[in-house]
Amino acid sequence: MAILALVLVAFDFSFSAYLDPLRGKSYDIYQMVVPLEVDASSVVLVEIDDEALALEGRWPWPRTKIAELIRKIGTANPKALGVDILFPEGSDARGDAALTDAIAQTRPVLAMSLTENASGTAPEAKAGWSVIGQAPTSLTTFPGLLASRPEFTVASGGLGMVRSIPDIDGVTRSVPMVWAVAEGDGVTFWPSMSLELTRQALGAGDYTIKLSDNG
């Protein structure tokens, strides 16, 4: 059995590039045959879709309008609120002030993304990280990140990544819960949007992450 196990591990390692697409297709078939049932009844998506654009005008909307939308959602007192739109550039002073005020009132989790280029000053994280172990060499690390303007991130209740990495066949089957950004000789960890929303909903403080060669 030990020899068989070693042979299987060696086979998996040697032919991983060929087996990965097969694993992905097998996963797709399994999800179609026995789909994973998820209760999303407590989750509400407020979409800026074609109907909304027809009613309110083409994108981008004035930030006063976005601020009004965020405030109206906040009146429902959600356990967690996420805004998956980035605001990296400035707008008119009135619009930026209105959006800052709406964010300060509702404390949503704001989206961030990762870039292939080294970024400037990163926003201050809303939660700390206690790290157990060493970061594995296989950890996907990006050289920079893209965030909204400082006045928005400071007023927010959380910051979460909305980036994803598709499989080799171009299909996205999973989204990392934790992302890493290169910083000097080390890395800085950032939560995914879903993880940061969970922290907000639970009223939790900081994160503890355990790292090993397996991830």
Side-chain angles (χ1 to χ4, degrees):
M1 292 299 293
I3 294 175
L4 177 60
L6 289 173
V7 170
L8 290 175
V9 170
F11 180 83
D12 182 78
F13 181 79
S14 301
F15 296 95
S16 180
Y18 304 99
L19 292 175
D20 283 346
L22 180 60
R23 293 191 188 100
K25 297 300 182 184
S26 300
Y27 177 84
D28 294 343
I29 294 173
Y30 184 78
Q31 289 299 313
M32 287 188 291
V33 175
V34 188
L36 179 63
E37 299 293 337
V38 177
D39 181 13
S41 60
S42 62
V43 178
V44 177
L45 295 179
V46 180
E47 297 181 322
I48 300 175
D49 54 12
D50 290 340
E51 183 178 357
L53 295 175
L55 289 171
E56 302 291 342
R58 66 181 183 181
W59 191 262
W61 289 348
R63 289 187 176 170
T64 52
K65 185 181 295 293
I66 299 173
E68 180 184 2
L69 176 60
I70 292 175
R71 280 194 293 267
K72 284 186 176 181
I73 297 172
T75 59
N77 295 317
K79 288 186 176 180
L81 169 59
V83 179
D84 62 345
I85 305 172
L86 279 80
F87 306 99
E89 305 294 337
S91 182
D92 62 282
R94 179 170 173 266
D96 284 348
L99 184 55
T100 301
D101 182 66
I103 292 172
Q105 288 181 22
T106 57
R107 304 284 290 170
V109 173
L110 295 185
M112 298 196 305
S113 188
L114 294 143
T115 69
E116 301 294 342
N117 302 315
S119 63
T121 304
E124 184 176 351
K126 299 296 180 176
W129 292 84
S130 297
V131 180
I132 302 173
Q134 297 292 324
T137 56
S138 60
L139 184 68
T140 302
T141 304
F142 285 78
L145 58 82
L146 179 65
S148 295
R149 289 174 59 83
E151 61 263 39
F152 303 146
T153 59
V154 169
S156 71
L159 299 168
M161 295 292 181
V162 292
R163 181 73 182 261
S164 63
I165 300 177
D167 291 344
I168 194 172
D169 59 357
V171 178
T172 299
R173 296 183 175 88
S174 63
V175 177
M177 299 290 282
V178 177
W179 295 88
V181 176
E183 187 178 82
D185 296 331
V187 295
T188 300
F189 296 108
W190 291 94
S192 64
M193 171 70 85
S194 58
L195 184 59
E196 187 74 336
L197 284 169
T198 302
R199 183 184 71 84
Q200 189 182 71
L202 295 174
D206 298 334
Y207 293 105
T208 298
I209 180 171
K210 183 177 181 181
L211 299 169
S212 70
D213 291 337
N214 297 321

